């Protein structure tokens, strides 16, 4: 039975017991729908100035959970492809994913990952553990290895609130490499072209026990430093009112900071930078 036979009724594959993985289901029955498995012809490599790429995203733990943020710029070579790209997305109620790399593939991967987690919960009757979510995303990245080797890499950053973790360690951060390698990070991490500068800033600004406002300011300062040294990273655009996306995950779930709050913090940071362009100095 095909997908369109019998007046649109579902085929037998939908009623056959199998894996709780939606991506494995697609791979078995409609592999052409998996964009992460399409490889360019042999000898062909994507030109970096022809494909939009997202740049800097970061995450840090704080007193109530974990914060994840990203700038808004996408570039094609030396051109700005988009000024208001959204790189931070909820994966479910207690997990968020941000991305650097090839924008089109990354957005497809995020949507597929969201469906993957929902599908698992509907099939199994329980939500996947945070460690399981990280391993599942690593597997999806591994499926994209062929395209990554041809210049179409996607590098996500995963954060989640884990109620099973010890008190004070429930905000967790996971990074990946293009081959699907999985690494849990402590305290903070950043990915993308501006990540070395963002990590350098967070190394100075991070401390245990930050409240939400302090964590958001630290993230904005780190993104500002990344934009200051990396042309592919966009800082806050006051005139166009385009500001970084900042979201938090706590025991109450995922929350994107309201635009007025992000704008207020961004304007405060930019004003302080007028007097101290290199950013805040760490006091002993």
């Amino acid at each position: 039975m095909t997908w369109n036979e019998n007046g649109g009724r579902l085929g037998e594959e939908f009623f056959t017991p199998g894996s709780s993985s939606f991506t494995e289901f697609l791979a078995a029955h409609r592999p052409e729908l998996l964009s992460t498995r399409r490889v360019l012809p042999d000898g062909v490599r994507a030109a970096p100035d022809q494909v939009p790429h997202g740049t800097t995203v970061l995450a840090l733990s704080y007193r109530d959970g974990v914060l994840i943020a990203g700038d808004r710029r996408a570039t094609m070579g030396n051109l700005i492809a988009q000024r208001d790209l959204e790189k931070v997305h909820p994966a479910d109620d207690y997990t968020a994913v941000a991305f650097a790399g090839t924008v089109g593939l990354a957005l497809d991967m995020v949507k597929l990952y969201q469906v993957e987690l929902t599908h698992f919960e509907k099939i199994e009757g329980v939500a996947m553990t945070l460690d399981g979510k990280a391993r599942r995303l690593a597997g999806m990245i591994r499926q994209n290895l062929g395209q990554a080797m041809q210049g179409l890499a996607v590098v996500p950053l995963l954060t989640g609130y884990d109620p099973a973790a010890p008190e004070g360690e429930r905000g967790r951060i996971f990074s990946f490499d293009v081959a699907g390698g999985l690494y849990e990070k402590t305290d903070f991490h950043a990915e993308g072209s501006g990540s070395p500068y963002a990590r350098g800033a967070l190394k100075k600004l991070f401390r245990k026990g930050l409240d939400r406002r302090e964590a958001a300011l630290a993230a904005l300062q780190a993104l500002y430093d990344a934009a200051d040294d990396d042309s592919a990273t966009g800082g806050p655009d006051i005139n166009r009112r385009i500001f970084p996306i900042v979201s938090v995950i706590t025991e109450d779930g995922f929350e994107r900071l309201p635009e007025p709050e992000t704008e207020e913090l961004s304007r405060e940071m930019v004003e302080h930078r007028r007097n101290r362009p290199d950013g805040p100095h760490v006091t002993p």
Side-chain angles (χ1 to χ4, degrees):
M1 181 185 297
T2 66
W3 289 64
N4 296 317
E5 288 177 348
N6 296 329
R9 287 187 299 171
L10 296 177
E12 294 180 1
E13 59 268 25
F14 288 92
F15 303 98
T16 302
S19 169
S20 58
S21 169
F22 183 71
T23 55
E24 290 182 8
F25 177 82
L26 280 184
H29 301 287
R30 293 294 297 274
E32 70 276 9
L33 296 180
L34 286 172
S35 60
T36 56
R37 291 197 173 186
R38 300 172 193 155
V39 181
L40 299 176
D42 289 343
V44 175
R45 183 174 175 83
D49 59 347
Q50 297 297 316
V51 181
H53 279 73
T55 47
T56 310
V57 294
L58 59 83
L60 65 151
S61 60
Y62 74 108
R63 185 176 61 196
D64 299 323
V66 64
L67 178 146
I68 186 168
D71 80 311
R72 308 293 296 277
R73 179 173 292 177
T75 60
M76 290 195 303
N78 64 326
L79 300 178
I80 297 175
Q82 188 173 347
R83 300 180 188 276
D84 59 352
L85 177 65
E86 297 200 8
K87 304 174 187 174
V88 179
H89 301 266
D92 62 13
D93 290 341
Y94 291 94
T95 317
V97 61
F99 66 83
T102 307
V103 173
L105 288 177
L107 290 174
D108 278 354
M109 186 179 292
V110 168
K111 292 175 184 176
L112 185 59
Y113 184 59
Q114 291 167 336
V115 174
E116 180 83 2
L117 298 187
T118 301
H119 184 265
F120 178 93
E121 187 169 352
K122 289 183 180 297
I123 295 297
E124 299 293 338
V126 294
M128 196 181 299
T129 65
L130 185 53
D131 288 304
K133 294 173 187 177
R135 289 192 295 270
R136 191 61 59 92
L137 183 55
M140 294 174 65
I141 298 167
R142 197 171 298 116
Q143 292 175 0
N144 190 53
L145 180 59
Q147 293 186 93
M149 294 297 100
Q150 293 179 312
L152 299 174
V154 177
V155 184
L157 183 61
L158 180 70
T159 59
Y161 185 85
D162 188 355
E167 185 75 28
E169 300 177 13
R170 293 177 178 169
R172 300 174 65 189
I173 302 168
F174 299 89
S175 73
F176 308 84
D177 60 35
V178 295
L182 171 62
Y183 313 93
E184 183 164 5
K185 300 297 182 178
T186 303
D187 297 335
F188 60 85
H189 189 64
E191 292 287 358
S193 60
S195 60
Y197 313 108
R199 286 198 296 266
L202 289 173
K203 187 179 294 186
K204 295 184 297 181
L205 298 173
F206 179 84
R207 58 178 173 79
K208 297 286 189 181
L210 292 171
D211 62 27
R212 180 169 120 160
R213 188 176 192 278
E214 292 170 330
L217 275 173
L220 292 172
Q221 294 279 9
L223 289 172
Y224 190 102
D225 280 347
D228 198 33
D229 287 298
D230 173 44
S231 62
T233 303
D237 191 332
I238 301 296
N239 293 331
R240 294 185 176 89
R241 298 187 64 191
I242 299 174
F243 304 97
I245 293 176
V246 181
S247 299
V248 296
I249 312 172
T250 66
E251 63 180 352
D252 297 322
F254 174 91
E255 178 190 357
R256 175 169 167 171
L257 268 61
E259 181 103 0
E261 182 178 354
T262 307
E263 179 175 355
E264 177 191 351
L265 293 173
S266 297
R267 289 182 180 273
E268 176 184 329
M269 177 196 64
V270 170
E271 185 60 32
H272 288 170
R273 291 269 181 159
R274 294 183 191 276
N275 300 321
R276 184 169 284 177
D278 292 335
H281 293 187
V282 179
T283 56

